[in-house]
Amino acid sequence: MSDSKPDRDAAYALKTPEDSIELYRKWAKTYDQDFAKANDYRNPQLIAALFAKSSDGNVPILDVGAGTGLVGEALAMHGLAPTDALDISSEMLAVAKTKGCYRDTIQADLTKPVNIADSVYGGVISVGAFTHGHVGPEAIDELLRVARSGALFALGINAGVYEAGGFAEKFILLKDKIKNFEIDETFGYGKKAQAELQKTRSIVALFRKR
Ligand SMILES: C[S@@+](CC[C@H](N)C(=O)[O-])C[C@H]1O[C@@H](n2cnc3c(N)ncnc32)[C@H](O)[C@@H]1O
């Protein structure tokens, strides 16, 4: 893994949180330009818009797997703040900080308990972290713990892992802890992206904590 060029194929091939730290350390400085802009990546804007459409004062917001801060920037365009950025990669968070759209940055591994008090957040959003080789559905328990009752969730989940990775089943198991569950979908790469990337579909799980 250590020789992989940072790109989406390398990201999908990750196996452990340590792999993520290593890949995103190399990718942080070029991610916005060489990945997001070059591939017409617009999932942060699309999922932030879905969050904004359902939001009724659901702040503060936790941006999970915030990376370089594209979701925080999109939320700010909707006038939504404050937002905190959580990510395993301190290098990605360092770039996110420069965007000026986050109140706080939290370096944490979502596959483990996180050092955040119960019931802090009014909203939780995630784009690009629930995908091949990244974070599984178990992390949703911690996200519910740090969210207050009524908090709005908009979780983008790669369609290829939604069933196969246990997300669909997880939401059924969580039925007593969540409400107003609905799913939407996005195609996260625009017309300027390669044809293969344009087929990438995300399931967006929208719900509230009971
Ligand atoms: C594809 S990037 C998405 C970044 C941003 N949300 C976006 O859409 O541009 C995935 C992010 O998830 C983070 N990540 C991967 N594994 C993680 C983990 N176990 N805990 C927290 N963050 C993780 C990576 O460091 C990376 O910044």
Side-chain angles (χ1 to χ4, degrees), residues 31-32 36 41 44-45 48 63 66-75 99 102:
Y31 182 94
D32 282 2
Y41 177 58
Q45 293 83 359
D63 177 8
T68 59
L70 300 176
V71 174
E73 288 184 293
L75 289 170
K99 307 285 175 73
Y102 292 107

Side-chain angles (χ1 to χ4, degrees), residues 8 11-12 14 16-21 23-25 27 31-32 35-36 41-45 63-72 86-90 92-93 102 106-112 114 125-131 133-136 139 189:
R8 199 185 70 153
Y12 278 11
L14 297 173
T16 66
E18 291 70 33
D19 288 347
S20 289
I21 292 172
L23 179 78
Y24 286 101
R25 176 186 300 131
W27 208 355
Y31 182 94
D32 282 2
F35 170 70
Y41 177 58
R42 56 189 191 153
N43 228 15
Q45 293 83 359
D63 177 8
V64 173
T68 59
L70 300 176
V71 174
L86 182 150
D87 203 282
I88 199 169
S89 166
S90 50
M92 293 291 271
L93 286 175
Y102 292 107
I106 303 161
Q107 198 263 322
D109 178 357
L110 275 170
T111 66
K112 304 197 174 101
V114 295
I125 188 167
S126 183
V127 182
F130 293 117
T131 188
H134 285 55
V135 181
Y189 298 88

Side-chain angles (χ1 to χ4, degrees), residues 24-164:
Y24 286 101
R25 176 186 300 131
K26 288 190 276 181
W27 208 355
K29 287 212 169 87
T30 58
Y31 182 94
D32 282 2
Q33 202 63 24
D34 295 359
F35 170 70
K37 191 149 188 276
N39 291 304
D40 205 5
Y41 177 58
R42 56 189 191 153
N43 228 15
Q45 293 83 359
L46 294 176
I47 295 178
L50 290 174
F51 183 96
K53 201 166 100 186
S54 297
S55 174
D56 50 8
N58 293 109
V59 294
I61 303 165
L62 183 64
D63 177 8
V64 173
T68 59
L70 300 176
V71 174
E73 288 184 293
L75 289 170
M77 299 283 280
H78 289 280
L80 293 171
T83 302
D84 293 341
L86 182 150
D87 203 282
I88 199 169
S89 166
S90 50
E91 289 82 4
M92 293 291 271
L93 286 175
V95 178
K97 253 185 215 174
T98 68
K99 307 285 175 73
C101 56
Y102 292 107
R103 174 181 70 176
D104 203 358
T105 55
I106 303 161
Q107 198 263 322
D109 178 357
L110 275 170
T111 66
K112 304 197 174 101
V114 295
N115 185 21
I116 301 175
D118 294 353
S119 309
V120 170
Y121 289 100
V124 178
I125 188 167
S126 183
V127 182
F130 293 117
T131 188
H132 302 279
H134 285 55
V135 181
E138 307 75 29
I140 299 170
D141 294 321
E142 267 301 85
L143 301 182
L144 283 167
R145 182 185 67 74
V146 304
R148 64 177 180 243
S149 177
L152 174 65
F153 281 66
L155 305 182
I157 300 159
N158 183 291
V161 300
Y162 188 73
E163 302 273 350

